[in-house]
Structures are given as C-alpha cells and as structure tokens.
Amino acid sequence: MSAVETGHASQSVMEQVGPNIIHHVSNSDISHPLYHIPPLFGIDFSVTKHVLMLWIVALLVGIAVIIPVRKFLSSNKTAPSGWMNGIEAIVQFIRDSIVKPNVGPKWVMTWTPLVLTFFFFILFANGIGMVPIFDVLGAFNRFVLGVPASDSHNFLNNLLHGGVTATANFNVTGALATITFFSIMAAGTMAHGFINHWKNLAPHGLAWPVYIILIPIELMGLFVKPFALTMRLAANMTGGHIALLALLSLMAIFGEMFHSTIAGVGVAFVAVPISVAISALEIIVVLVQAYVFTLLTAVFVGMAINVHH
C-alpha cells in the first residue's frame, strides 16, 4: 500500500467526504490528464476530463442537430418529419419567443443562429452530466477486468478523475459568457456604429454631474453581465451534484458515527429517495439553465440594439 493510500485509510469518513465530493465534480487536474501534451509558451495544453467532454458534446450536437438539419435541407422534402419535427419546434420557439421579441424583426435572423448554438450546446453539456457513463465504465474496469484502482497508467482509471459536466467548469461558462460579451459589442456597433454604441451606454440629456457617477456604473455593468452568466450556469450545474453526493455520503457518515452498518442502511431509506427527487429536479435544471443562458444573451444583445427600450 502506498503512502497516499495509507493516509486515506487513516482518515475518518468525515475527513474524506469533502475531498471526495470535490474530486467528483471538478475537472481532472493536470496530474491526471487523459492525454499529456508538452507545454507551449508556458501553457499546459494537456487533454483533461472536461476537454474530452466538450469534444463529446460537440460530436453529439453534430450528430443530433447539425447532420439531420443539413440532410433535410439537401433533400426535396417540403415538411419535416420525425426527429426534424422536434428540432423545428425548438428552433421556432427560440426564434419567435426569445430572439425576435428582444432584438427585433430586423436582426432576428442575424442573432438566432448564435442563440440556437448556445441553447443546444449548453443543453447537451448539461444533460450528459446526468448520465453515469464513466461510473459504469469504472465499475466494469474494477470488477470485470480486475484492474486495481491504484493503476495510474490505466486509461479507464484516469477517466474517473473529475466530473462529467463541462458546464460546471467556470472556464467553460466563462468562455461562453465572453462570446456573449463580444456579441453585445458587435450588436451595438452594427446597429448604431462604433461611436454611437459607446455613447448609448448612458441615457442622453442628463445633467453632466450625473454622468460622473453613471458612466462608471454602466461600464461596470458591461462586465457584470457576462460574470453573472458565468457564475449562474456553473454554480447551478455544480450545486445539484454536490447535494446528491452529500446526501449519499450520509450513509457512510452515520455508519461510522454509530459504528454500525445498520445505521448507514437506515439512513439510506431517507437519503436515497431524496437523492432521486433531486435527480429529477436536476433534469428540470438542465433545461432551465440552457433556456436562461440563451434568454439572457438575447436580452443583452437586444439592449445594445434597442437602446430606446
């Protein structure tokens, strides 16, 4: 047994719960990359768990959305059917109920593709976090193939490090919010010109002393918007998983506290049903957070275009 394993064995369950929860929701660290790439300009580009998940999400969006749409457009069909009916319903809903009321009919076809891309990407990234695919692979690796957990050179063991929800990573949500930030700048510039866009940050016709306070506040607001998008999405996608793991950990905690397996089993009759209820709630959160991010993006872009509103 290694020194690390000995240290873990000497720790109580209470001491292990916190690190285990963080281990299961965070990205795999650089010490456990799935594929190591030598640093370039001092930056480590090694492929981590969340990088892999981003690739998987992009692949799934391509298979489930992009390929069917392109196939339909290249066909001679006048009306969609089957899977395409569902995609068309989502596209029409986002275009007519989210984008158009906020950016206006003139710009609706300009910004709908961006908002749709956000929606499908975030929806798939959120949803795949609900599928315990890597837990199943880990169990298969451990109990069927007989690979010990201490084998750090085994690829499947490395897959167990970190969480599967890429949108629980603040770097990912920050990148999405950065796209929204520059989209706001682009929308205002396209609608009013570069100079007028910046003039429109503050209302016209106010007494000049008011601008001394108002302009800094409006400039701060430019950065608060993407920051809020970043924090809201990542925090919501992380919170559900932490709540689930904390509830399930109660079985081990009570078992250790009372030095009885029966106590842990007794807690399971309460913890497991609540965990199932939280999982059902997370399914709703998956949809709601994809909707909220796209809605706020459309609202912020619309604010830059329709300044008088």
Side-chain angles (χ1 to χ4, degrees), residues 2-309:
S2 66
V4 174
E5 290 173 324
T6 304
H8 283 303
S10 63
Q11 289 180 328
S12 67
V13 171
M14 286 293 291
E15 292 172 324
Q16 296 180 49
V17 165
N20 282 339
I21 290 176
I22 298 301
H23 169 81
H24 282 89
V25 298
S26 61
N27 190 14
S28 60
D29 53 45
I30 299 302
S31 62
H32 293 96
L34 302 181
Y35 185 78
H36 179 72
I37 299 176
L40 182 64
F41 302 112
I43 302 175
D44 196 328
F45 287 94
S46 298
V47 178
T48 61
K49 183 77 162 288
H50 285 168
V51 173
L52 174 64
M53 296 313 301
L54 290 174
W55 292 347
I56 292 175
V57 169
L59 179 64
L60 290 176
V61 171
I63 294 173
V65 180
I66 300 174
I67 293 177
V69 170
R70 292 181 66 89
K71 184 178 179 181
F72 172 75
L73 293 175
S74 61
S75 67
N76 295 323
K77 296 180 180 178
T78 56
S81 60
W83 180 251
M84 270 302 302
N85 265 328
I87 296 177
E88 184 186 42
I90 294 173
V91 170
Q92 287 185 341
F93 172 76
I94 292 177
R95 184 194 64 190
D96 298 337
S97 301
I98 296 179
V99 183
K100 190 174 181 178
N102 287 290
V103 304
K106 179 181 178 180
W107 300 98
V108 62
M109 298 310 295
T110 302
W111 295 106
T112 296
L114 174 69
V115 176
L116 280 171
T117 302
F118 274 150
F119 180 80
F120 283 115
F121 180 83
I122 295 172
L123 180 65
F124 277 73
N126 291 352
I128 201 172
M130 299 291 296
V131 182
I133 178 65
F134 293 105
D135 302 278
V136 174
L137 289 175
F140 177 81
N141 195 42
R142 189 74 47 82
F143 300 112
V144 178
L145 300 181
V147 178
S150 57
D151 186 359
S152 60
H153 299 289
N154 183 265
F155 181 74
L156 288 179
N157 274 347
N158 283 334
L159 282 176
L160 301 180
H161 292 278
V164 298
T165 311
T167 43
N169 189 321
F170 289 100
N171 295 305
V172 174
T173 57
L176 296 174
T178 301
I179 296 173
T180 298
F181 175 79
F182 286 108
S183 297
I184 295 170
M185 302 295 105
T189 302
M190 290 166 61
H192 307 287
F194 181 78
I195 302 298
N196 286 331
H197 166 66
W198 290 101
K199 287 183 178 180
N200 289 334
L201 287 179
H204 302 293
L206 301 177
W208 70 265
V210 177
Y211 290 108
I212 298 175
I213 302 174
L214 192 59
I215 290 176
I217 292 175
E218 292 295 338
L219 289 174
M220 288 175 59
L222 285 177
F223 297 97
V224 168
K225 291 171 185 175
F227 179 77
L229 289 175
T230 299
M231 300 300 293
R232 179 184 290 105
L233 179 56
N236 277 283
M237 297 317 301
T238 305
H241 296 308
I242 291 177
L244 280 173
L245 292 168
L247 278 169
L248 296 176
S249 298
L250 289 176
M251 294 183 287
I253 292 172
F254 274 77
E256 183 186 60
M257 286 176 59
F258 296 99
H259 304 286
S260 170
T261 305
I262 297 176
V265 174
V267 173
F269 285 102
V270 178
V272 172
I274 296 177
S275 298
V276 172
I278 292 177
S279 296
L281 180 63
E282 274 204 284
I283 295 175
I284 300 174
V285 172
V286 163
L287 296 169
V288 169
Q289 289 307 312
Y291 172 78
V292 168
F293 194 99
T294 54
L295 174 63
L296 291 178
T297 296
V299 168
F300 294 153
V301 170
M303 289 170 63
I305 294 173
N306 304 304
V307 181
H308 58 283
H309 290 168

